[in-house]
Amino acid sequence: MNLSDSIKKYFQRVGWFLPSLNFLFLILIVVFLETSELSAKERIILYLISIAILYLINYISFILFLTKKFLPAEEVRGKMMKRFRKGDDRMQTYLFPLSIDDDYYEIYGRTLTYNPIGGDFYNFLTDFKGNYWLGIGDSVGHGYLAGIFSMMIFQKMSLLVHLYDNPDEVIERINESLSKRTETYPAINTSLYATFLLIKADTEGNVQHSGLHPSFVHYKNKTKKNEIVETDGKFISTTMNSSLKNTPGKNRFSMESGDIVFCFTDGLYEQKNKGNLYFGESLFRFLEEVSKNDLKKIADNLFEEILIHTGGRIQDDMTILMIRKK
């Protein structure tokens, strides 16, 4: 990491705290000296001493920050991960699918949840015709209720992709199933909903997608550029879709060899640091600058960047799902 990157990370870490402290110190010095009976020469000397002290404090603070940054990467990562509660990766370990790496695609997903059971989920599999289906979603709330709702969607997706040809139909059938279940069990909370993105890709790289979810990123290997792709479709919900009109077949694009699609939940860019600043656009800058050779390493580095930004804590589930065309 070069000096400019270190300075950038330093101010992302401290947020507004240190600049505010510097400003307050300067105001106090100015007020004290301007109201004192000291001579002009004495005030100038004290101003210079105060500025030197302030510079020294900031310099030492930055050096201490760099010292932590230059620790071995695994040691830094280990210290951060210890601050997570035990069990935050249980859904990843026990439930979510293993990576796919075959003749057509490489697919990798990663999640960390705010609670041991979270509302984020992802799924990917191949249907009986050899098409690849990827789903990523975020159920409202945290904890077991959000997790159970997510697993209902997870389970329905795994079944329905074998019965229907496009993502629009699968989402419609998931919502129909949810409506029937709600009618059968009125105690189900009707305000539950999930953002959901469902992608279907054939072996040639032809891609369809549907669902209301945060936009995703299509990295084009030929131009080495990222393109943000907006989603369109429906939530997973019994109450929030009445005014929405989905256009079947509208959302299509093609992937060429080396192209990567990055899908994620809002927890990635809504993580805040101590200065209350979101990770935000840093996510898209990261996806532009990171080496595209290793999907697992991309996920590891991204999660580490977010943990650095937040000081080793998260406020929401966060998930990334990636697919690379061979």
Side-chain angles (χ1 to χ4, degrees), residues 34-217:
E34 293 301 323
T35 56
S36 69
E37 297 180 357
L38 298 173
S39 66
K41 183 178 180 180
E42 290 173 327
R43 286 200 298 269
I44 290 173
I45 292 173
L46 287 175
Y47 271 127
L48 293 176
I49 292 174
S50 300
I51 292 173
I53 291 173
L54 190 63
Y55 172 80
L56 183 61
I57 292 172
N58 281 272
Y59 178 76
I60 292 173
S61 173
F62 183 59
I63 291 300
L64 290 174
F65 174 78
L66 288 183
T67 301
K68 293 180 181 179
K69 296 292 289 181
F70 290 153
L71 289 172
E74 288 303 315
E75 185 176 347
V76 173
R77 183 172 178 81
K79 287 184 176 181
M80 291 175 181
M81 294 306 293
K82 285 179 182 178
R83 300 182 64 176
F84 282 94
R85 285 182 297 277
K86 291 181 180 179
D88 283 344
D89 60 352
R90 287 178 184 173
M91 295 181 76
Q92 171 89 44
T93 304
Y94 287 94
L95 182 64
F96 295 153
L98 299 177
S99 303
I100 291 177
D101 192 353
D102 59 20
D103 293 336
Y104 302 103
Y105 291 100
E106 180 186 359
I107 306 175
Y108 182 82
R110 178 80 186 279
T111 189
L112 276 176
T113 57
Y114 178 75
N115 292 316
I117 299 178
D120 275 15
F121 64 97
Y122 67 85
N123 192 15
F124 49 79
L125 67 159
T126 56
D127 64 21
F128 298 138
K129 298 178 181 178
N131 299 301
Y132 296 75
W133 292 81
L134 300 87
I136 182 170
D138 180 6
S139 295
V140 63
H142 302 104
Y144 80 93
L145 186 58
I148 291 172
F149 189 68
S150 295
M151 290 310 99
M152 184 207 74
I153 302 167
F154 185 99
Q155 181 252 351
K156 287 296 179 183
M157 171 191 162
S158 297
L159 170 65
L160 293 170
V161 296
H162 299 289
L163 304 177
Y164 297 94
D165 289 331
N166 64 67
D168 304 280
E169 290 180 309
V170 173
I171 291 176
E172 288 287 354
R173 301 294 88 77
I174 293 175
N175 277 333
E176 286 180 5
S177 175
L178 177 59
S179 295
K180 291 179 181 178
R181 182 168 289 274
T182 304
E183 292 172 3
T184 304
Y185 300 103
I188 291 178
N189 187 344
T190 57
S191 65
L192 283 173
Y193 73 94
T195 64
F196 185 53
L197 171 64
L198 184 59
I199 293 175
K200 176 186 177 184
D202 65 19
T203 56
E204 301 299 319
N206 300 305
V207 178
Q208 305 175 55
H209 64 92
S210 183
L212 282 182
H213 190 73
S215 300
F216 59 94
V217 173

Side-chain angles (χ1 to χ4, degrees), residues 11-16 271-279 308-311 313 315:
F11 282 105
Q12 285 181 341
R13 184 72 175 270
V14 300
W16 290 101
Q271 303 293 343
K272 295 180 182 179
N273 64 8
K274 292 181 180 179
N276 212 35
L277 297 176
Y278 289 106
F279 190 65
I308 291 171
H309 176 78
T310 64
R313 58 189 175 82
Q315 304 91 39

